[in-house]
Amino acid sequence: MLAKIGSAAVVGLEAQSIEVEVDARRAGQGGILILVGLPDAAVRESGERVRAAIRNSGLNFPSNQHITINLAPADLRKEGPAYDLPIAIGILAASGQLPLPKLEGVVMLGELSLDGSLRHVRGVLPVADMARHNGVKAIFAPACDAPEAALIPDVLVYPVETLAQLVAHFQGFQPLQPLPSGVQLVSQPPPPAVDFAEIQGQEHAKRALEVVAAGGHNMLMIGPPGAGKTLMARAMPGILPLLALEEALEVTRVYSVADMLPPDTPLIQQRPFRAPHHTISNAGLVGGGHWPRPGEISLAHRGVLFLDEMPEFNSKVLEVMRQPMEDKLVTISRAQGSLTFPANFMLIAAMNPCPCGYYGDPERACTCPTGIIQRYRKRISGPLLDRIDIHIEVPRVPFEKLSRATQGEPSTVIRARIEAARERQRVRMQGTGLACNADMGPAELRQFCALRDDAQSLMRAAMRQMHLSARAYHRILKVARTIADLEGVPQIQVHHLAEALQYRTRVLDV
Ligand SMILES: Nc1ncnc2c1ncn2[C@@H]1O[C@H](COP(=O)(O)OP(=O)(O)O)[C@@H](O)[C@H]1O
Ligand SMILES: [Mg+2]
């Protein structure tokens, strides 16, 4: 008998429909099992897992039959253990143990352990999305992954704990209950690890972080060791607004295919904060690999990518971020065509002013020879610096200030201002598909960032004096727009532009 079971393959951020065909017919002596259709090692081992799972579930593995399993379409590579479940159900159906009509128009996936229980698989969210587009009526997924699938409306999602449970469902003995679909949104993020109130002094840097968070910009902090650069970057998550539903689904999809969705968190609603180590590889940062996975720049999508001690990173690795920083996505080419992952992140970078860390310090002398300082700073290329909107110096906070008992503004108060500024951006850019000022292209810049005469002449003078590139010009306009939004002012004024320009002083010039 021939059984056909719907399943899916995850390629990049998308799922593609896969049909698991199982043909079982009586053989003379002893049975064999053949698996075809470009399977990888994990899929090839599926046969053994399925055999044990079926037996240990108290079901009958047709051991005297000749079983052929084909994963169609044959030209698409099949990866991972998620086909265990459709293969097991297919074998049971093809050997006459399950009613075939009940298996039509459904999609199932899940890894089987030898005792017949279902294990977690990655990428369930894009599979559910694909199922909805293809008009599939029901999805059967491991119980731990089912809430993720249920984020997608219009498809019934059945959580499955064991193979035996699913068999009882199809045999009609004990029907499974689908999960209620839809999204549970939280209204408040959890308290931050570092609150802005704990940061003494550094008003300039805190203001810059607020501007970055409000408009989705990039920032570089330069200062001696112990100035609080790492501390301030780690305070960022506490002032970022929660993700809107559409954004949350985008981010969750990246984590789902990267297999990095935290347990018990079907939907990621907090903006990501990623702080990769400086030894990270090219593929680790921008994505790639044999089965392309999202890199850190995609895991930081709609959130923060924090590169601490930036000159320690391999400069070739840093350079590959340049294109994604412009495009807000990354394209990964491979043998079977290219893939894209989203990469719209806020870069926060930190560095010492020189290898010893004390160049320009009022109290401690720098011991680095000039040539060495220049070489150190050259590790961050001009084109990369040009893509960073805000460059600020972070001096050391004197002891008297550090030991003061007064507290700064708490993160919740700052976040409220940022939320208000983001709301203004959202309303202004409704219909453009853009979320924040940093996302604006030339058309939006013309429409939303027109300068009055006085601001225009300040800009002209600054362009000449500071030798600014066209890219820098656009980035300054966007930052000025965000500063005006924080103030709640409809048009960019001279003092907004002046503040934005001041963030562009070349702190890296020796
Ligand atoms: N402005 C500050 N306010 C409060 N604590 C600070 C400040 N600057 C530094 N510190 C303290 O010093 C520690 C080291 O700061 P850190 O952020 O690692 O400095 P950097 O990254 O600039 O070398 C912090 O964990 C914090 O305890
Ligand atoms: Mg540090």
Side-chain angles (χ1 to χ4, degrees), residues 49-70:
R49 280 192 302 274
V50 165
R51 195 191 305 263
I54 288 178
R55 287 193 176 132
N56 291 330
S57 301
L59 301 160
N60 176 24
F61 188 90
S63 49
N64 59 346
Q65 298 201 8
H66 189 138
I67 299 171
T68 309
I69 299 161
N70 179 35

Side-chain angles (χ1 to χ4, degrees), residues 92 208 220 247 266 449 495:
L92 293 170
L220 170 64
E247 296 174 316
C449 300
H495 67 283

